[in-house]
Amino acid sequence: MIQIFHLQKTYEGNNIPALSEINLHIQKGEFCYLCGPSGAGKSTLMKILMKMENYNQGQILIQGMNLAKIKESKIPYLRREIGVVFQDFKLLNRKTVFDNIAFPQEVVGKPRNEIKKKTWELLKYIGLAHKKDAYPLRLSGGEQQRVAIARALANDPSILLADEPMGNLDEEISMEIMGLFERANQYGATVLLATHNLSLTRRVMHRKIVLERGKLLAS
Amino acid sequence: MPPFLKQSLKTFAEAAANIRDNKETSLIAIFTISVAITILGLFLLVYFNLNNVLRGLSEKLQLVVYLKDDIQESGLKKVEAMIRDEEKIWKWEYLSKDNALRAFREKLKDKSAILEGLDANPLPASFNIYFKEGYRNYEEIKLLAGKFSAAQGVEDVDYGGGWILRFEAAIFFLKIFITAVGGLLALGLITIISNTVRLSVYSRHDEIEIKKLVGATRWFIQAPFLVEGIIQGMAGVVFYLGVLIIF
Ligand SMILES: Nc1ncnc2c1ncn2[C@@H]1O[C@H](COP(=O)(O)OP(=O)(O)OP(=O)(O)O)[C@@H](O)[C@H]1O
Ligand SMILES: [Mg+2]
């Protein structure tokens, strides 16, 4: 569950706020699109939720945790609750597909055999079991995207943030990837998916949160 | 295997893999560290040798108390007692008139013919006094010299006052110089090593960022670097020792 009250964020050196007067409630298990043109503030909002960026005003509660009150040393534990799919994937290019998916599980100190089991499960889930030993740079864009999604799901996060996960993938692959998010959502994850792909939001119906120039147009 | 040991092994394996994957950076780091150690070693070598030389020199500082020719046995005993009672004295020796002449002859060697025509021994008897560490300075020696010159039966005292002062000034500046060089060297080495660390961190900043984003704790991120640093440091030392053995 995500609750945002009167959020305002201005990047240092800018005079126009990237986000202003944002009030938003997302229920546990909801699937929401975050729409809006380039520069609307979609990435900014996701970075704030991850505590990758701070904000100037307002209150944010994630699973009841007050974001402003989380200590520096507790940030890793917040991030373990949130799986993120970045537009540029951010895979570890020197690790294999398998190790990329295993990695966040090692971070939380899961036992080795559980990591193996879960990683295999995810590899089958994204349909890349045959490429487990490949390195990310040898994969197509859609394959890398799927690895990024598997990694985001590896610790069964309660919240899944995806920043334009179909960036410039074609329609068919976009739908495949959309299916992965749908299933994660069915398993109970709250999904927030940033996109400016209007045909997608028309084909698969979900709640739409629309941002423009840092303001909430609709939710 | 206990989890702690398992984690340590994993960290070690990761550090080793990182070194393998970043051969250039690691080699530069190892080379830098061995150069740094070499420079530090040379500096310490010079420093300790110089210290030894200085100590050797300061051990030679002496106060010579010349005695009058007509000094009585009791006067001699009194001066000797003064020396024995003096805390600051490290060691001393008594040189009788005869011994002084003999020593002088030895010094002149073949030129000792100059002394042939002498019918009386012109050299005075003396006490040669050396000082304990901490009292080998001008002020202390001058103080003692004053005390002895006032004693009965003492003809004169000699402690090379001007020479000691110059010696002390030289040591003073030498110490400042060495401290400055050492300080600069330490600063340089710290800069070099911290830059090497920064280089290795920078070459993997994307990896660090990703680790942070998936919720890795600070310790989890830093441990491999620490282990890597230790491995590189040891490799640097081994390299340095190798060079030492070859030359
Ligand atoms: N690091 C930054 N420093 C300063 N200004 C920034 C920074 N990041 C974003 N901005 C500004 O904040 C505003 C919102 O940017 P943001 O990246 O959130 O937009 P977005 O909705 O994700 O756009 P896009 O669809 O192009 O990814 C923009 O005007 C942008 O210029
Ligand atoms: Mg963006």
Side-chain angles (χ1 to χ4, degrees), chain A residues 43 87 163-164:
Chain A
S43 298
Q87 187 170 5
D163 197 353
E164 315 225 8

Side-chain angles (χ1 to χ4, degrees), chain A:
Chain A
M1 190 175 47
I2 302 168
Q3 291 169 290
I4 301 172
F5 306 95
H6 309 292
L7 173 66
Q8 201 248 329
K9 158 82 180 172
T10 308
Y11 282 104
E12 213 156 304
N14 292 7
N15 33 27
I16 308 160
L19 291 171
S20 68
E21 198 50 35
I22 305 288
N23 287 286
L24 196 58
H25 296 234
I26 298 171
Q27 296 300 317
K28 189 171 170 11
E30 244 190 305
F31 193 126
C32 301
Y33 290 119
L34 186 56
C35 309
S38 190
K42 304 183 293 293
S43 298
T44 302
L45 180 60
M46 291 197 162
K47 284 179 188 161
I48 288 173
L49 293 177
M50 280 285 284
K51 237 175 155 26
M52 287 163 74
E53 284 287 350
N54 47 21
Y55 50 95
N56 307 102
Q57 280 170 41
Q59 289 280 347
I60 301 178
L61 302 178
I62 294 182
Q63 321 279 73
M65 282 185 280
N66 188 335
L67 220 55
K69 291 202 176 136
I70 293 177
K71 276 193 230 133
E72 187 79 23
S73 61
K74 295 286 180 251
I75 291 177
Y77 303 95
L78 167 78
R79 291 182 179 165
R80 290 173 193 187
E81 290 285 318
I82 306 175
V84 186
V85 183
F86 299 93
Q87 187 170 5
D88 55 352
F89 316 134
K90 290 199 198 299
L91 297 174
L92 289 165
N93 291 327
R94 288 197 319 238
K95 285 187 190 280
T96 62
V97 166
F98 188 97
D99 288 340
N100 264 284
I101 301 172
F103 182 64
Q105 305 175 66
E106 284 165 9
V107 162
V108 302
K110 242 194 230 177
R112 190 76 209 156
N113 51 340
E114 266 181 53
I115 293 179
K116 264 191 187 150
K117 197 168 144 247
K118 180 76 183 176
T119 306
W120 266 113
E121 227 172 75
L122 285 163
L123 279 168
K124 276 184 250 159
Y125 177 65
I126 60 170
L128 283 179
H130 59 295
K131 296 228 164 151
K132 72 172 183 67
D133 292 324
Y135 287 89
L137 293 178
R138 294 294 194 76
L139 301 177
S140 72
E143 287 169 338
Q144 291 187 37
Q145 188 62 278
R146 281 184 278 166
V147 176
I149 294 170
R151 183 183 66 188
L153 293 174
N155 287 328
D156 298 306
S158 45
I159 295 168
L160 190 58
L161 302 180
D163 197 353
E164 315 225 8
M166 303 57 162
N168 28 29
L169 302 175
D170 65 37
E171 192 86 347
E172 195 184 329
I173 296 170
S174 293
M175 288 317 290
E176 242 172 61
I177 284 172
M178 192 62 195
L180 293 176
F181 287 118
E182 293 284 348
R183 270 180 57 196
N185 180 234
Q186 275 156 24
Y187 282 125
T190 308
V191 178
L192 186 60
L193 194 158
T195 183
H196 46 215
N197 181 339
L198 294 178
S199 79
L200 175 80
T201 60
R202 267 188 231 111
R203 274 169 72 177
V204 185
M205 294 299 287
H206 285 297
R207 176 183 170 193
K208 271 209 280 190
I209 297 164
V210 185
L211 282 178
E212 203 174 306
R213 295 182 191 204
K215 294 205 169 62
L216 206 58
L217 283 195
S219 66

